[in-house]
Amino acid sequence: MGKNDFLTPKAIANRIKAKGLQKLRWYCQMCQKQCRDENGFKCHLTSEGHKRQMEIFGQNPERIVEGYSEEFERTFMEHLKRAHPFSRIAANVVYNEYINDRHHIHMNSTKWLTLTEFVKYLGRSGQCKVEETPKGWFITLIHRDEMEEIEGQKRAKRDRAEQAEEERHRRMLEEQIERAQKMARVEETGGQDAGTTELRREELEAPLGFQLAAGRAAAAAAAAGEQQGRGGSGRPALVALEDEDGGVSVAAAARGGKKSKIEELMEKDRAAKEAQAASDAARSAASQRLDHWLAPGIVVKVMAKKLSDYYKQKGVVLRVLDKYRGEVEMAESGDVLQVDQDELETVVPQPGGSVLVLNGPYRGSRGTLLSIDTKRFQ
């Protein structure tokens, strides 16, 4: 038998390799490597490159599996729209056509264990019309207008905002009801809380003084002087004072006395409103930030000590595989790595260089770095 005969092991292996599709159990999705047999797969499992990829996977497996699931769903739906846009077709037929691409995302790397689970998910999400027959599962693509999808997303966002606003109002009402019930209980018992005084006018002839435009000290002094001029020896008259934020509070003219119940309630209301405003501002700022920031074309630095060969070396992000993982081409060696964003760090250019905003309200905007504040730089 000749060296390059048709039935030699090398010729058979070459034909199998050219065919493209081989056994799924000998495919490594993290490394995107297809092995020919069990021995080759065992050798791949002991390689350094596979161990590095598995270390990255072990740090956040849920995020990586979710990324593979999103990519599998997107590519499967693209194939269905392109190959069978208006047909009622067996799901198994579509899947067999999809896996003809040797670089496809394998289902065993997603959150769906079987094709049946994935087909049911398409039906629940409204992307396909799903039918179960004695011959298997059949799917039909549901066509949607892009503008309708955008409008649906906007409506869903408005509904979420309205629900959050209703929840906030409900909490405020519950707090007000609780305060009112507490006051009612105190009045029924006839007692007084520690540190509070009852709102009472002992001298009916002395009128109440209101001065909204003046400051707190001036109003208090004016009310106290009027009280002394009349020779009243009872409790000081109440004065309505204007706060810095425009609100009106009731205070005793003589500040040495205890605060009244009305004064304490108004202070509690004002503190609750300030705390709610601060909480709303914090939630609004947090909602504009995302937990992923990778973008193609940016310069990053590898900070994973486990990747000792590339530790603190710079590279360029070629493409983002999912929201949290990208391919990085190292500047020195030219090697291409798949690295999670938690193992990367952005690189600040010299003043005058171009920058890209990766997070926050101006995400995606480009600009020029004018200077660096070294005192506040972290």
Side-chain angles (χ1 to χ4, degrees), residues 149-165:
E149 292 184 1
I150 295 174
E151 289 296 329
Q153 294 175 359
K154 291 182 179 179
R155 284 195 298 270
K157 186 176 181 180
R158 285 196 298 268
D159 292 341
R160 289 194 297 268
E162 290 176 358
Q163 291 177 1
E165 186 68 18

Side-chain angles (χ1 to χ4, degrees), residues 14 41 44 47 62 73 89 93 97 103 106 116 126 147 173 178 184 253 256 263 282 296 318 326 336 343 371:
N14 288 337
F41 188 67
H44 170 69
S47 64
E62 293 83 4
E73 178 185 354
I89 189 76
V93 173
E97 294 175 354
H103 299 295
H106 290 63
T116 301
M147 295 302 297
L173 287 175
E178 185 179 354
E263 207 174 358
L318 299 180
V336 178
E343 305 294 341
S371 62

Side-chain angles (χ1 to χ4, degrees), residues 33 36 55 80 87 100 103 118 121 145 149 193 196 223 241 260-261 278 313 326 331 344 378:
K33 181 176 178 59
R36 299 186 188 180
E55 288 176 357
L80 182 61
S87 305
N100 281 332
H103 299 295
F118 178 64
Y121 164 77
D145 188 8
E149 292 184 1
D193 294 338
T196 61
L241 303 178
S260 65
K261 290 185 178 180
Q313 291 188 16
L344 297 175
Q378 295 181 353

Side-chain angles (χ1 to χ4, degrees), residues 1 11 29 43 53 66 71 85 96 100 119 145 167 173 177 193 198 214 216 270 286 358-359 377-378:
M1 185 179 292
Q29 184 66 64
C43 293
Q53 292 297 330
E66 186 66 27
E71 190 169 354
N96 288 333
N100 281 332
V119 170
D145 188 8
E167 180 68 18
L173 287 175
I177 292 172
D193 294 338
E198 185 179 357
R216 184 183 300 270
R270 184 166 58 252
L358 300 177
N359 217 332
F377 181 73
Q378 295 181 353

Side-chain angles (χ1 to χ4, degrees), residues 196-266:
T196 61
T197 58
E198 185 179 357
L199 179 63
R200 183 188 306 168
R201 287 192 63 197
E202 296 181 355
E203 187 178 358
L204 299 178
E205 293 79 6
L208 291 173
F210 293 91
Q211 187 173 354
L212 300 181
R216 184 183 300 270
E226 183 179 357
Q227 182 72 13
Q228 292 176 359
R230 295 187 178 187
S233 59
R235 298 175 64 124
L238 295 178
V239 181
L241 303 178
E242 185 177 8
D243 296 336
E244 295 178 356
D245 55 356
V248 178
S249 63
V250 180
R255 302 308 296 174
K258 297 180 179 179
K259 296 181 180 179
S260 65
K261 290 185 178 180
I262 293 180
E263 207 174 358
E264 287 191 351
L265 287 176
M266 295 185 71

Side-chain angles (χ1 to χ4, degrees), residues 289-354:
R289 294 189 62 84
L290 304 177
D291 60 347
H292 56 89
W293 50 267
L294 277 179
I298 64 173
V299 180
V300 294
K301 183 186 295 184
V302 177
M303 301 303 295
K305 294 183 179 180
K306 297 177 181 179
L307 304 177
S308 57
D309 296 340
Y310 308 102
Y311 181 58
K312 288 192 175 182
Q313 291 188 16
K314 297 180 182 179
V316 179
V317 178
L318 299 180
R319 65 190 182 102
V320 180
L321 301 178
D322 50 47
K323 294 181 180 179
Y324 310 96
R325 190 166 53 93
E327 286 189 353
V328 180
E329 181 180 6
M330 306 309 297
E332 295 182 4
S333 60
D335 297 340
V336 178
L337 307 177
Q338 291 185 12
V339 189
D340 191 271
Q341 71 171 16
D342 293 337
E343 305 294 341
L344 297 175
E345 184 182 84
T346 55
V347 177
V348 180
Q350 296 293 331
S354 300

Side-chain angles (χ1 to χ4, degrees), residues 57 67 111 155 177 224 231 269 275:
F57 177 81
K111 60 184 178 182
R155 284 195 298 270
I177 292 172
D269 270 342

Side-chain angles (χ1 to χ4, degrees), residues 347-355 367-374 377:
V347 177
V348 180
Q350 296 293 331
S354 300
V355 293
T368 303
L369 181 64
L370 300 180
S371 62
I372 300 176
D373 189 353
T374 56
F377 181 73

